[in-house]
């Protein structure tokens, strides 16, 4: 990846020292755009739920020494170490956790699913590249549109039942059910017949190009060659579900106070033992095909109500990793703060399903009227583009120009000279200071064009759902890529995507996306860059910043946890280090 250099990390490290009152958070859609603004503690992703080097901290973890680049005593204090070396405590922000793959879209859920679900491929812990999981082997047809997977003979669900090719087919068809409208179902559109089946245009399951040839052979036919298909299969939506779970449409999580709850049958390295509002306990799945190589016996996911609560768990040594909202100011040992660039972007968008906002001249006039430097002020990684720059992806002309004269001219061409005849434009935001600041700037700039503007504040817990409802024209979100490819950012704007909150229906954009599906390598990336440039030029996406990932983790205790661009850390690789060096002692090999 083309990642910001040491200058960014050092700047952010200094910022955390100067502004210790800030909080890190996995932003809710519309949480504000920076890693230092408190939000609701979860993030919608294409992964829901994200190599590069780690970010900040850099000290010895509590020696109190300033020699050799260590941190001053006031910055890092000794915290208790874990005494149980096979039981990991992780802190998530409190909130509803969806265990049903077909309903999930949060980044925190994507992280949890690395423990309890697994598909044909899974993420490499460092690079996020696809590595074989339940796929023992596979072959590709000469035209590169048919994949034949052989499932591991020892693949089992958490109850011991074998995982069959039919389980994959049934799970994927359940995910595609048009009655369910699963958030990531449009990812399946590269499969033959999947789009028509999920939209209800075709009702015959046989029309979908997924065939269980026998118990261990799964055949998948694609509409066109897709070199990124294995990377896409890492996403949790492609994991198999046990046949007994497919008809379980009620909430898979326990209701408050429920005593007769039965955990769902899963297939990952860990299984769910118990769950309540305070914690979720996972135990090693002895039926997992690689169980003998899983170091952890138990994972306790603790749900913290506030950032202060999370910090207390860290300070007391009760947690080795904080993956949710945390008050950095309350940390007595800040050497565990790690910041790294993430394949994520915080942006606003303009809906285009109703007049006059369906006219891209009007939308372009809106973006040309905005003072972009002022909008992005204070963001560590200001973004002019939607897709975070990655290796090989062509540079795209971003959104950064303010030109009021051209904006007024476009409004006049569209028939709205001086704003006459324009309806009220509602900006729907979350109750955060940063979204209030940005929306205020937008409202003032657009009112200069004669656009009547109203700002509507929606509570964090309702905001994601509100984006799927009517009554507004501008919304905001933060998107984390499903896998390291521009497609994961661009796919959400297609006319049939369940995640197309902007309700864009642009034939030129559709044509470019279709063309890219039949291309490979640099030719394909060039076409995707052209599609992104079209989104930006026509005023669909208003990028604000690329979101850094912030975690608090004790890497002097944990191995197998690596900062990466998707901010996803597969639990199966995590273990406690066998030996801890004494302060000031260098261990040689």
């Amino acid at each position: 990846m083309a990642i910001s250099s040491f200058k960014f990390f050092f700047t952010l490290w200094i910022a955390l020292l100067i502004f210790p009152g800030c909080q890190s958070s996995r932003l809710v859609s519309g949480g504000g755009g920076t890693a230092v603004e408190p939000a609701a503690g979860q993030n919608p992703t294409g992964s829901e739920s994200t190599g590069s080097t780690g970010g900040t901290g850099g000290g010895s973890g509590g020696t109190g020494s300033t020699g050799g680049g260590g941190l001053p005593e006031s910055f890092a204090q000794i915290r208790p170490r874990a005494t149980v070396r096979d039981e990991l405590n992780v802190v998530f922000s409190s909130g509803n956790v969806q265990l049903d793959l077909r309903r999930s879209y949060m980044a925190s859920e994507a992280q949890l699913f690395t423990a309890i679900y697994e598909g044909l491929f899974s993420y490499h812990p460092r690079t996020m590249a696809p590595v074989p999981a339940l796929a023992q082997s596979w072959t590709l047809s000469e035209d590169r549109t048919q994949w034949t997977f052989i499932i591991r003979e020892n693949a089992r669900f958490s109850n011991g039942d074998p995982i069959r090719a039919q389980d994959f087919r049934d799970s994927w068809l359940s995910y595609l059910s048009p009655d369910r409208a699963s958030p990531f179902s449009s990812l399946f559109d590269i499969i033959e017949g999947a789009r028509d089946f999920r939209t209800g245009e075709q009702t015959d399951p046989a029309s979908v190009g997924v065939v269980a040839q026998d118990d261990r052979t799964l055949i998948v036919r694609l509409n066109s060659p897709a070199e990124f298909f294995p990377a896409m299969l890492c996403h949790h939506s492609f994991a198999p579900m046990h046949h007994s779970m497919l008809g379980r449409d009620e909430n898979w999580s326990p209701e408050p106070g429920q005593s007769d709850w039965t955990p769902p049958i899963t297939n990952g390295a860990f299984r769910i033992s118990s769950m309540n509002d305070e914690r979720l306990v996972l135990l090693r799945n002895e039926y997992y095909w690689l169980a003998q190589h899983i170091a952890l016996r138990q994972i306790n996911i603790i749900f913290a109500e506030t950032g202060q609560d999370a910090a207390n768990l860290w300070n007391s040594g009760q947690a080795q990793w904080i993956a949710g909202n945390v008050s950095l100011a309350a940390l007595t040992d800040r050497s565990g703060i790690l910041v790294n660039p993430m394949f994520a972007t915080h942006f606003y968008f303009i809906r285009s399903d109703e007049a006059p906002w369906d006219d891209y001249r009007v939308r372009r006039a809106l973006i040309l009227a905005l003072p972009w430097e002022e909008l992005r002020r204070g963001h560590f990684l200001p973004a002019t583009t939607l897709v975070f720059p990655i290796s090989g992806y062509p540079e795209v002309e971003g959104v950064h120009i303010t030109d009021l004269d051209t904006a007024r001219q476009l409004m006049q061409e569209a028939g709205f000279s001086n704003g006459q005849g324009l309806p009220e434009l509602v900006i729907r935001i979350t109750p955060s200071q940063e979204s209030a600041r940005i929306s205020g700037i937008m409202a003032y700039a657009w009112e200069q064009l004669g656009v009547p503007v109203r700002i509507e504040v929606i509570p964090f817990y309702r905001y994601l759902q509100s984006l799927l409802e009517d009554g507004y024209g501008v919304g905001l979100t933060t998107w984390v890529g499903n896998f390291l490819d521009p497609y994961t950012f661009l796919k959400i704007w297609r006319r049939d995507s369940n995640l197309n909150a902007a309700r864009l229906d642009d034939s030129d954009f559709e044509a470019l996306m279709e063309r890219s599906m039949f291309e490979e390598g640099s030719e394909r990336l060039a076409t995707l860059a052209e599609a992104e440039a079209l989104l930006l030029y026509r005023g669909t996406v208003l990028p604000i910043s690329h979101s850094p990932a912030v975690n608090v983790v004790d890497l002097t205790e944990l191995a197998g946890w690596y900062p990466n661009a998707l901010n996803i850390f597969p639990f199966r690789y995590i273990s406690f280090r066998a030996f801890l060096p004494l302060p000031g002692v260098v261990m040689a090999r």
Side-chain angles (χ1 to χ4, degrees):
M1 290 189 66
I3 304 173
S4 299
S5 63
F6 170 80
K7 180 179 179 182
F8 160 69
F9 293 120
F10 181 78
T11 302
L12 186 51
W13 182 73
I14 291 298
L16 292 173
L17 289 178
I18 296 175
F19 304 108
C22 67
Q23 294 182 329
S24 71
S25 62
R26 300 179 63 139
L27 304 175
V28 162
S29 176
T34 69
V36 297
E37 180 177 284
Q42 293 180 322
N43 212 7
T45 73
S47 61
E48 117 232 51
S49 303
T50 308
S52 55
T53 57
T56 64
S60 58
T63 65
S65 169
T66 58
L71 297 170
E73 185 174 1
S74 61
F75 184 81
Q77 299 178 16
I78 295 175
R79 51 189 287 274
R81 299 293 184 180
T83 56
V84 181
R85 310 296 291 175
D86 61 356
E87 185 173 328
L88 174 67
N89 293 323
V90 185
V91 179
F92 279 22
S93 297
S94 62
N96 295 326
V97 175
Q98 181 55 255
L99 301 178
D100 187 343
L101 292 170
R102 301 166 298 182
R103 298 179 178 180
S104 168
Y105 55 91
M106 289 293 190
S108 55
E109 292 161 351
Q111 176 57 49
L112 167 64
F113 291 166
T114 68
I116 62 176
Y117 291 111
E118 187 173 76
L120 296 167
F121 290 85
S122 61
Y123 297 107
H124 186 283
R126 282 185 186 269
T127 66
M128 295 288 100
V131 296
L134 295 185
Q136 177 179 300
S137 62
W138 59 92
T139 56
L140 185 59
S141 64
E142 186 175 349
D143 65 356
R144 292 168 292 127
T145 62
Q146 179 168 301
W147 295 71
T148 302
F149 299 97
I150 303 300
I151 299 170
R152 296 184 186 277
E153 187 173 6
N154 59 343
R156 295 286 187 275
F157 286 104
S158 57
N159 69 341
D161 289 347
I163 299 174
R164 308 160 303 156
Q166 189 67 38
D167 294 315
F168 278 95
R169 183 177 186 274
D170 291 346
S171 297
W172 293 5
L173 288 174
S174 178
Y175 208 100
L176 289 170
S177 171
D179 296 332
R180 187 168 285 108
S182 300
F184 295 108
S185 60
S186 59
L187 284 178
F188 289 78
D189 284 0
I190 65 172
I191 297 175
E192 181 182 284
R195 176 199 166 277
D196 288 346
F197 185 76
R198 73 172 178 83
T199 59
E201 295 180 26
Q202 173 61 258
T203 58
D204 184 3
S207 65
V208 180
V210 181
V211 177
Q213 182 171 289
D214 55 45
D215 281 353
R216 294 184 56 207
T217 306
L218 180 71
I219 298 173
V220 183
R221 296 190 298 268
L222 306 184
N223 294 311
S224 58
E227 58 185 358
F228 56 85
F229 189 49
M232 178 181 286
L233 291 175
C234 295
H235 193 259
H236 55 259
S237 58
F238 291 94
M241 291 175 279
H242 192 269
H243 63 85
S244 67
M245 304 302 299
L246 296 180
R248 186 171 159 180
D249 288 329
E250 71 274 11
N251 190 352
W252 289 12
S253 302
E255 298 297 332
Q258 184 177 356
S259 59
D260 59 346
W261 176 70
T262 301
I265 299 171
T266 55
N267 77 310
F270 298 86
R271 61 178 176 83
I272 298 174
S273 173
S274 63
M275 182 180 182
N276 55 39
D277 291 341
E278 297 178 353
R279 70 176 54 204
L280 189 159
V281 178
L282 306 176
L283 298 179
R284 183 168 50 216
N285 176 15
E286 300 301 334
Y287 291 108
Y288 181 59
W289 66 275
L290 210 58
Q292 67 273 24
H293 295 289
I294 305 303
L296 295 175
R297 174 185 57 84
Q298 181 169 327
I299 300 172
N300 301 311
I301 296 178
I302 306 169
F303 300 115
E305 289 287 343
T306 67
Q308 179 67 54
D309 293 337
N312 292 341
L313 290 165
W314 171 265
N315 295 339
S316 63
Q318 296 179 69
Q320 292 81 45
W321 172 23
I322 300 177
N325 184 31
V326 60
S327 172
L328 300 179
L331 298 176
T332 56
D333 175 6
R334 301 181 196 172
S335 64
I337 300 173
L338 290 178
V339 183
N340 62 278
M342 184 166 55
F343 197 47
T345 304
H346 177 64
F347 57 87
Y348 287 68
F349 59 89
I350 303 175
R351 301 186 96 190
S352 56
D353 59 326
E354 294 182 358
W357 321 115
D358 58 345
D359 187 335
Y360 80 80
R361 293 174 299 178
V362 175
R363 300 197 305 271
R364 178 147 183 82
L366 293 179
I367 66 171
L368 286 174
L370 293 174
W372 287 102
E373 185 175 348
E374 186 178 356
L375 287 174
R376 295 166 178 144
R377 183 172 296 128
H379 289 258
F380 293 112
L381 287 174
T384 64
T385 59
L386 172 64
V387 180
F388 188 99
I390 57 176
S391 178
Y393 189 58
E395 185 175 352
V396 173
E397 176 66 27
V399 179
H400 59 89
I401 296 173
T402 302
D403 187 343
L404 284 173
D405 290 337
T406 302
R408 293 189 178 100
Q409 181 180 343
L410 286 169
M411 281 293 194
Q412 184 174 359
E413 291 176 4
F416 303 102
S417 180
N418 297 319
Q420 293 181 357
L422 283 174
E424 181 181 62
L425 180 61
V426 176
I427 307 175
R428 184 168 287 177
I429 65 171
T430 59
S432 70
Q433 292 181 353
E434 181 62 6
S435 57
R437 183 189 73 86
I438 290 178
S439 61
I441 295 172
M442 288 179 169
Y444 178 79
W446 290 337
E447 285 168 353
Q448 308 314 300
L449 283 180
V451 181
V453 179
R454 177 169 60 88
I455 298 173
E456 181 181 66
V457 181
I458 302 294
F460 283 117
Y461 75 91
R462 277 207 71 248
Y463 191 76
L464 288 175
Q465 179 60 38
S466 77
L467 293 182
L468 304 177
E469 300 166 357
D470 293 326
Y472 75 102
V474 177
L476 67 154
T477 191
T478 298
W479 183 259
V480 185
N482 305 109
F483 50 96
L484 293 178
D485 190 279
Y487 178 86
T488 189
F489 277 87
L490 300 175
K491 179 70 178 74
I492 62 177
W493 308 99
R494 301 204 64 174
R495 60 167 63 105
D496 293 320
S497 171
N498 290 338
L499 297 165
N500 184 5
R503 299 187 180 177
L504 180 69
D505 187 353
D506 188 314
S507 296
D508 296 332
F509 176 75
E510 293 291 331
L512 289 169
M513 293 299 293
E514 280 297 316
R515 192 176 85 193
S516 74
M517 299 302 294
F518 293 88
E519 299 172 334
E520 292 186 351
S522 59
E523 182 182 20
R524 170 179 171 270
L525 291 178
T527 300
L528 291 176
E530 189 177 349
E532 181 189 0
L534 191 72
L535 285 178
L536 297 171
Y537 181 85
R538 294 186 175 180
T540 299
V541 186
L542 288 63
I544 300 296
S545 63
H546 297 304
S547 305
V550 181
N551 288 273
V552 181
V553 60
D554 193 339
L555 295 185
T556 65
E557 282 197 287
L558 299 183
W561 192 105
Y562 306 102
N564 61 73
L566 294 185
N567 203 37
I568 287 286
F569 310 94
F571 277 112
R572 75 178 239 197
Y573 297 100
I574 299 176
S575 65
F576 281 84
R577 295 185 183 278
F579 300 100
L580 290 175
L582 295 173
V585 175
V586 176
M587 297 187 70
R589 298 181 64 177

